[in-house]
Amino acid sequence: MSSDATDETDVFAAAAARKRALAGELAGRPVEDLIGLVDARGKCGWPEEGDQWTLSFALHCWRIPPGQLKTQPLSVTVTTSRARYESLWEQIHSYTVVRIRARVVEDSMSGTAQGKLTEFLGLDTSDSELYRAAVDLQKPVVHQDHQFGHFTLDRRVNWYTAETEWNGTIVALNLSLDDSDKLDAALQVARSLWKYQKQWATRIEDYAVQELLPLKNESWLDEDEVELTADQFKGRMTLESVTVDPDGSFDFWHNDGDLFWGHSIQISGSLSEGPTRADIPG
């Protein structure tokens, strides 16, 4: 077995161990009634072995009545049948206040508050403090920047987005927040990219050609389509957005111009290392 395969196996084994440990923590807790505000990200889900599915959502703030409002987010999960999963999926939505029964560990081994749903009791409009929190959570949060203009917070992904120009094309610039929820570090990464945008544009496109043109010509040609040149490949890519992180990393997202039948072209890297990864997700 290669070292990469061994490392991947170790990662999955560690994740499984953490999952078992959290399940043990939760199993020792009593079932409690609580009420909370579903955060902006809403819910997500995935299949498990057999006919089981896991649903996950986070409460932005919550309380165990009649206790005080807790502002530490609570992550709630349940693994259940496909039918119950689909029923819960239809009932749980962003910015709604819900009442549930769950086992809760406020200071779990992961350092975050975790809950295991045992019963969904439905929407609740009785708590005025949670209602006000829901209203406040939906108010726009903006940041005005002298270079890039008007940023708006997208709470679903915890980044600020602005429309700005890159080499003559309007693109979305997404700034991921750091642990203190400040923009300063991500803004400096963006300013460095934009200062040398022509050079970076060339590096990004050349890397896409290096990594993806062989894949296109070997495996993704339409019937009767001839092999593409580097210039033809670049001409069909259209940059749509740039996402930067406080640590100096970035992702350039392109429309593929049907090179890969509608998949996005993602080029990732960092200021220090340049482009290091090409992918066609979607």
Side-chain angles (χ1 to χ4, degrees), residues 19 21 28 32 37 107 122 133 136-137 143 151 171 196 218 245 262:
K19 185 177 180 180
E32 300 180 280
L37 169 62
D107 187 17
D136 289 342
L137 191 59
H143 174 83
F151 284 95
V171 301
Y196 302 103
E218 292 168 10
D245 292 299

Side-chain angles (χ1 to χ4, degrees), residues 38-214:
V38 181
D39 76 3
R41 292 167 294 178
K43 72 275 185 174
C44 62
W46 55 89
E48 302 283 0
E49 293 183 1
D51 192 34
Q52 297 289 292
W53 283 69
T54 292
L55 180 83
S56 176
F57 61 96
L59 299 179
H60 176 75
C61 52
W62 53 285
R63 74 168 90 246
I64 299 174
Q68 291 186 340
L69 190 69
K70 300 176 185 289
T71 57
Q72 178 193 22
L74 173 67
S75 297
V76 182
T77 59
V78 60
T79 300
T80 185
S81 67
R82 177 69 178 267
R84 186 181 178 216
Y85 168 89
E86 291 178 348
S87 175
L88 290 168
W89 187 271
E90 293 300 319
Q91 298 179 79
I92 298 171
H93 302 285
S94 303
Y95 309 119
T96 57
V97 178
V98 298
R99 186 176 289 270
I100 64 174
R101 291 195 177 105
R103 301 180 188 274
V104 175
V105 177
E106 291 192 50
D107 187 17
S108 73
M109 59 174 293
S110 67
T112 60
Q114 300 287 328
K116 180 180 180 181
L117 178 74
T118 60
E119 187 176 357
F120 182 78
L121 301 175
L123 302 182
D124 196 298
T125 59
S126 65
D127 193 304
S128 59
E129 193 172 7
L130 280 167
Y131 172 79
R132 289 194 300 272
V135 172
D136 289 342
L137 191 59
Q138 296 176 75
K139 292 179 179 177
V141 178
V142 299
H143 174 83
Q144 191 68 31
D145 182 72
H146 66 86
Q147 179 177 357
F148 298 114
H150 187 88
F151 284 95
T152 302
L153 176 63
D154 186 339
R155 292 187 174 92
R156 296 168 299 176
V157 287
N158 200 37
W159 66 36
Y160 279 83
T161 298
E163 288 193 343
T164 190
E165 187 175 306
W166 173 271
N167 281 325
T169 300
I170 299 299
V171 301
L173 170 59
N174 307 312
L175 303 178
S176 298
L177 295 169
D178 62 18
D179 292 338
S180 64
D181 287 344
K182 292 184 178 180
L183 285 173
D184 299 358
L187 270 172
Q188 292 309 311
V189 178
R191 295 199 204 288
S192 182
L193 287 172
W194 257 253
K195 183 177 181 180
Y196 302 103
Q197 59 188 267
K198 290 184 178 180
Q199 294 93 321
W200 276 110
T202 298
R203 293 179 71 181
I204 295 298
E205 291 179 357
D206 287 347
Y207 187 80
V209 166
Q210 171 189 311
E211 298 297 313
L212 299 176
L213 179 57

